[in-house]
Amino acid sequence: MVSSSSPKLLFRRLLAGRSLPSMVPRSLSSTSSFFFSSPVLPSATAFYCIRRADLLLCEFPSVSSRLAFFCSHPSQIDEEAGPAAIDYQMLVSEDEFHRVADSTLYNLQEKFEEYGDSIQSDGFDIDFGNQVLTLKLGNLGTYVINKQTPNRQIWLSSPVSGPSRFDWDQTHKAWVYRRTKANLLSLLEDEVESLCGKPITLS
């Protein structure tokens, strides 16, 4: 049974953005996000609490702006925090993408093969097929570089810096990772030299 003082308690907890464990079943009060965003309220008690909240918001309209934060879907916050989406298909045609990406991968293959002959490292191996270039450095790790035609990107998996996606910058004629502004060839030069102990020139 909900006491006569429950609206005040509900009001205070709504201000704090907390759940209402004393007024709804335990299964419904585990998180406030369910209470505010779920499209289904199977409990009559929960429906009663929401109704009381609506009445309180009508009486105290200034609270609504504060509650908006808790009612926001997490994806809205995530989208605002990330970089703005850019449709690179509109900037680079598919034919141009293939021309530049293939040239980059073939050039990397040749440079890596020359580098491997110069350092004579155990476990050093290069494989190129199905638009995927794999550079194995033995126990130092493996690089995987491949084309992603739908995105007009080159994807890199690095044992040092992890995964990254590079877009073709037509102004600077280079593959650039939008998030960090890193240049693909410069990044590979720095990391491979650091791992193998000998400079490599890829540009």
Side-chain angles (χ1 to χ4, degrees), residues 44-158:
T45 304
F47 179 82
Y48 169 80
C49 294
I50 292 297
R51 177 58 181 163
R52 299 289 294 196
D54 289 339
L55 294 176
L56 284 171
L57 291 178
C58 292
E59 186 175 354
F60 301 95
S62 61
V63 180
S64 60
S65 60
R66 183 170 180 176
L67 289 179
F69 171 80
F70 299 100
C71 298
S72 297
H73 194 279
S75 63
Q76 296 175 348
I77 299 175
D78 294 340
E79 290 173 359
E80 293 177 359
I86 298 178
D87 186 359
Y88 280 89
Q89 296 184 28
M90 301 299 294
L91 302 180
V92 182
S93 67
E94 184 170 345
D95 290 341
E96 177 70 4
F97 167 76
H98 285 301
R99 185 186 68 79
V100 178
D102 289 341
S103 176
T104 299
L105 293 177
Y106 289 134
N107 177 70
L108 286 174
Q109 180 188 17
E110 293 180 358
K111 297 291 185 180
F112 285 145
E113 288 175 348
E114 294 174 1
Y115 185 73
D117 293 337
S118 68
I119 63 174
Q120 298 296 326
S121 174
D122 292 338
F124 190 100
D125 185 59
I126 302 167
D127 180 70
F128 185 33
N130 297 323
Q131 302 182 350
V132 180
L133 175 62
T134 304
L135 170 63
K136 298 180 181 179
L137 302 177
N139 58 4
L140 298 177
T142 300
Y143 284 88
V144 178
I145 310 168
N146 65 291
K147 292 167 56 177
Q148 284 291 326
T149 302
N151 297 19
R152 308 292 196 267
Q153 292 176 329
I154 285 183
W155 288 10
L156 168 69
S157 174
S158 162

